[in-house]
């Protein structure tokens, strides 16, 4: 299993993360405010410069008003 942030799976993850934010009608600044973080942090995460762990992903999903389960299910469908 490739653990690089440059793997094709991680690229799919990042694309879904960005897409979910955009479809939620939120800007990077909106997410940053909800996460009590900076817009720069959000940008780095979306570009893959900063890897998210499960706890952080759960916080992102909450900020995006989507369940962690539904986010993971969408990711799995794209990975098939």
């Amino acid at each position: 299993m490739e653990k690089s942030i440059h793997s094709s799976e991680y690229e799919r993850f990042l694309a879904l993360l960005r897409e979910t934010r955009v479809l939620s009608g939120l800007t990077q600044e909106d997410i940053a405010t909800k996460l009590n973080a900076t817009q720069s942090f959000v940008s780095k995460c979306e570009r893959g410069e900063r890897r998210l762990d499960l706890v952080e992903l759960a916080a992102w999903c909450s900020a995006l008003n989507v369940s962690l389960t539904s986010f993971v299910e969408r990711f799995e469908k794209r990975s098939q």
Side-chain angles (χ1 to χ4, degrees):
M1 176 179 181
E2 186 178 356
K3 292 187 178 183
S4 169
I5 61 173
H6 305 293
S7 71
S8 59
E9 277 188 305
Y10 202 69
E11 289 297 324
R12 282 193 297 275
F13 168 76
L14 295 177
L16 179 59
L17 192 66
R18 285 185 300 268
E19 178 184 305
T20 304
R21 176 181 57 77
V22 170
L23 290 174
S24 295
L26 300 170
T27 65
Q28 287 184 346
E29 188 65 41
D30 294 332
I31 296 298
T33 299
K34 291 180 177 213
L35 295 175
N36 195 28
T38 63
Q39 180 274 328
S40 176
F41 168 80
V42 173
S43 177
K44 286 179 183 179
C45 292
E46 287 189 353
R47 288 192 322 257
E49 292 180 21
R50 166 105 175 26
R51 195 172 182 100
L52 293 173
D53 66 24
L54 182 61
V55 173
E56 292 169 325
L57 178 59
W60 276 66
C61 287
S62 178
L64 292 167
N65 296 316
V66 299
S67 73
L68 178 60
T69 302
S70 67
F71 184 89
V72 171
E73 286 172 349
R74 282 187 263 168
F75 176 74
E76 286 180 328
K77 285 181 184 177
R78 290 180 180 208
S79 296
Q80 295 175 354

